[in-house]
Amino acid sequence: MPDWIDRPLFEIAQALRKGTLTARNLTEEGIARHDKWDVKLGAYKTWDAEYARRQADASDAAFKANKDLGLAQGILFSVKDIYGAEGFPIYAGSPKRLPPEWEKNGPVLNKVRQQLAVIPGKTHTVEFAFGGLGSNPHWDVPRNPWDAQSHRAPGGSSSGAGVSLWEGSASIAFGTDTGGSVRVPASMTGNVGLKTTKGRWSTDLITILSTSFDTPGILAKSVSDISFGFNAIDPVTKASVSSAIETRDVSGIKLGITKDYFWDRCADDVGETVENAIAELKNAGARTSTIKIPEAGTSVQVWGEGAIVASEGYSFLQTRLPDWIDSLDPNVLSRMEVAKEAKTLDYFSALFKISKLSQSVHAKLETVDALAVPTVPITPPKIEDLVDAEAYKKNNLLALSNTMPGNVLGACAITIPAGLDKSGMPVGLQLIALPNREEELISLALGIERILGTPRDRLGTPPLGGRL
Amino acid sequence: MPDWIDRPLFEIAQALRKGTLTARNLTEEGIARHDKWDVKLGAYKTWDAEYARRQADASDAAFKANKDLGLAQGILFSVKDIYGAEGFPIYAGSPKRLPPEWEKNGPVLNKVRQQLAVIPGKTHTVEFAFGGLGSNPHWDVPRNPWDAQSHRAPGGSSSGAGVSLWEGSASIAFGTDTGGSVRVPASMTGNVGLKTTKGRWSTDLITILSTSFDTPGILAKSVSDISFGFNAIDPVTKASVSSAIETRDVSGIKLGITKDYFWDRCADDVGETVENAIAELKNAGARTSTIKIPEAGTSVQVWGEGAIVASEGYSFLQTRLPDWIDSLDPNVLSRMEVAKEAKTLDYFSALFKISKLSQSVHAKLETVDALAVPTVPITPPKIEDLVDAEAYKKNNLLALSNTMPGNVLGACAITIPAGLDKSGMPVGLQLIALPNREEELISLALGIERILGTPRDRLGTPPLGGRL
């Protein structure tokens, strides 16, 4: 029988309530996994086993007193180190600890902490979340477990999030997604990742990259676990172990298939892997409909012209954390500094164009259940190939090119593993849906997981190790 | 017995419900007043007596069918011509009619239209609401009824709002306030004006001057009528003719008195008029407490440095109404064009500084019921003295200097007549309170009106005429 930590969260939650499992035992499993794998994988910036045990004991005490505080009770959540999380320092990927005001729990983290979730540590991140590959010159970069020889990008900016799931030290990983920072690391590490609709979950007490596009999100080892995590954080009604989102049968779903933008930059093997997954879904009864979305490419261009993220991110640092600018990763600084010349009229004009493009795309998305496109068009590059600034820039833009439209166009989206590419690296199938359709999207993805299998079923075990 | 249109709105509303008055009769009174006075005063850009009669008849039909749709039913509201209002064209003070999309009712106007209020016309405005004096080169500028010889500024940007109340063709006038555009015309024409807290009332389908600071507001002939209008638009519970906001006794209220900023630029007679009114309130038992608010002056400086309103206003025109830029009033254009050089980092830095200044001022406002300061530090200038661009700029800045801090610092505020200055022009006492304390502020102002009298009691009748 597998360890508890490897089982579906709905099973774990039931066992915790039946008393066949304690939060402390589950946490000890997570700690043992961390002790075994973190040396190799290095998902965490900060890890605190003793604090995790105390949180687990508090959770068990509540269970004993017949207090069921919600689905998250006793479940292990890793937290990207740009979230404030009481009891932990915060670095946001910078070399210096941030002031204590940034250590407070924000509304999203509070949701699960009030349910007595267990937070064992905070995961690595690209400095202030501005980068899609996961690199960081100040701290160790988590290893992508799918390559035992080379150090390949774990994806970013939530660079430790997906890796923490392979360690087995967390069941749900909190990340944030401004241009793909949940979906890219989920795809590159072979996990499921959910990017929520802008504004649905509060970004308070998470350091700001972009007030226009920042969104909290979660990564997990299966769509089923994502459904569990989503229910814990954002229940339609009071969530319980028996109130999961329903699985939608694949037969009858309608996927929007695009050509051009999302495929143009795809490596052949990456594109084929996603095409094969879509073909399997069609065999299982999914219908497809070809849609032209020229707005995707335009939106990414417009976002650049207005220097939206650079302006919002750099002004956040200037006003809130000015002493953190000098030590910025040159790859972060050089892209943020374009803000210095940015004009307000260009900024507002870009935001306006984006709102028009969004309207136009939303009308098209109404005709399907979701767009089905590759999450990341390239195989995760080797960290050593990113030393050159131009190479970094090029790869970073490529890595984010298929996820950015989701942010710009105000969608919600999920990525699920489609298979492995020729390098043996995970490839993600991205499903993009209308704003605030998270429940429907998860329902759809649950049906797709029934056909494609869970990440573990579909991808097997990573060669570098992780979990069991 | 006075005409119905001159009586308090709570009396009118009761008579409409008792059947001793019909909306049609009330509307005919308003039309008769308009026919008599508009030639002299010129409050309206668009006037439609026939449409007003049809709206009144619809209102009466509902009363007859025992449908009480809310306080606004059958009451006359004039609407500043930057609001969309179905059935009327919109010019927003520009020489060209705006596209039909801008003619739709927005949420605030809808509130009273769903209650079958009567809208007889749309009042003049400074072009796109960017100016505090009321001048407009494209259309007639409403006369300030308090000077029969010279054409003095009616205040802006809601330049026809206060004048429509003196015409007697409306009981409540809808305006908007970005830097003082409700309070300045209310003060200059001897009316009561309420600026609501940013975000409390939606600005949808009102042309945008500043996304950061625009607020809808109302002007009326007494605080009691403001209370009525506020209840109609924003009822705490279901409003009725007997559910007015309570009058707070002046004895025991605590007014914050400032020196420096709000008084430094005051003409002697203006300052004395407000001081005398405050002295009367003290005689009636009001306590005062001196507060230093250096943030007021700083906030106005910061708002300028970041080119906040210019950037937001100009980008609105560029993206939504580009064909309206070439014909802009040179006094509007020259102040908006500074946006062309504005940098995003300065813009965000200014907004951040303002949020810090607001926090600091809010803590001080907690110690009193409201600040009591002059609404406008100068007598309404003669329109002929504003021809020179520099003279316009200087007077415009002066006119808005005491109201802008309320917008910048996120307060709500009300102005009530304090008396007449040496030129016989009305002077306003401004009460500034914490955000979202409108009910408390109106309650306080009702008590103050009990001591100072209604505008008509306190100021008498304007020499140019208006009403009876």
Side-chain angles (χ1 to χ4, degrees), chain A residues 296-312:
Chain A
T298 315
S299 72
V300 170
Q301 254 184 321
V302 170
W303 136 322
E305 286 163 17
I308 298 171
V309 175
S311 292
E312 293 171 346

Side-chain angles (χ1 to χ4, degrees), chain A residues 241-420:
Chain A
V241 286
S242 55
S243 71
I245 293 169
E246 266 182 50
T247 303
R248 177 148 176 218
D249 201 288
V250 161
S251 124
I253 67 170
K254 194 163 165 197
L255 299 176
I257 305 294
T258 71
K259 297 291 153 204
D260 42 70
Y261 182 79
F262 292 97
W263 302 86
D264 288 347
R265 289 164 316 290
C266 264
D268 288 347
D269 54 338
V270 170
E272 275 163 29
T273 308
V274 177
E275 274 169 6
N276 290 342
I278 294 173
E280 286 177 59
L281 298 174
K282 285 173 86 164
N283 282 341
R287 289 174 302 147
T288 58
S289 152
T290 303
I291 321 185
K292 291 203 171 169
I293 314 245
E295 297 91 343
T298 315
S299 72
V300 170
Q301 254 184 321
V302 170
W303 136 322
E305 286 163 17
I308 298 171
V309 175
S311 292
E312 293 171 346
Y314 198 74
S315 92
F316 165 74
L317 293 177
Q318 264 196 336
T319 53
R320 309 295 297 274
L321 296 166
D323 296 341
W324 273 256
I325 293 178
D326 276 352
S327 51
L328 278 176
D329 174 358
N331 282 333
V332 170
L333 183 64
S334 66
R335 286 175 303 129
M336 272 207 183
E337 273 186 332
V338 304
K340 287 184 178 170
E341 296 308 316
K343 300 275 184 70
T344 56
L345 293 183
D346 297 330
Y347 170 85
F348 286 118
S349 157
L351 285 179
F352 177 73
K353 284 181 198 160
I354 284 169
S355 76
K356 299 303 269 184
L357 291 166
S358 295
Q359 279 174 28
S360 160
V361 171
H362 293 174
K364 295 177 186 179
L365 287 180
E366 287 284 4
T367 65
V368 293
D369 291 308
L371 283 188
V373 297
T375 310
V376 180
I378 54 168
T379 198
K382 295 177 185 168
I383 296 291
E384 65 194 39
D385 292 341
L386 301 172
V387 176
D388 174 68
E390 282 313 306
Y392 171 84
K393 230 176 204 166
K394 189 186 145 211
N395 277 284
N396 182 56
L397 211 60
L398 272 172
L400 294 165
S401 61
N402 275 7
T403 48
M404 274 196 281
N407 303 79
V408 183
L409 302 170
C412 63
I414 197 166
T415 178
I416 57 183
L420 297 175

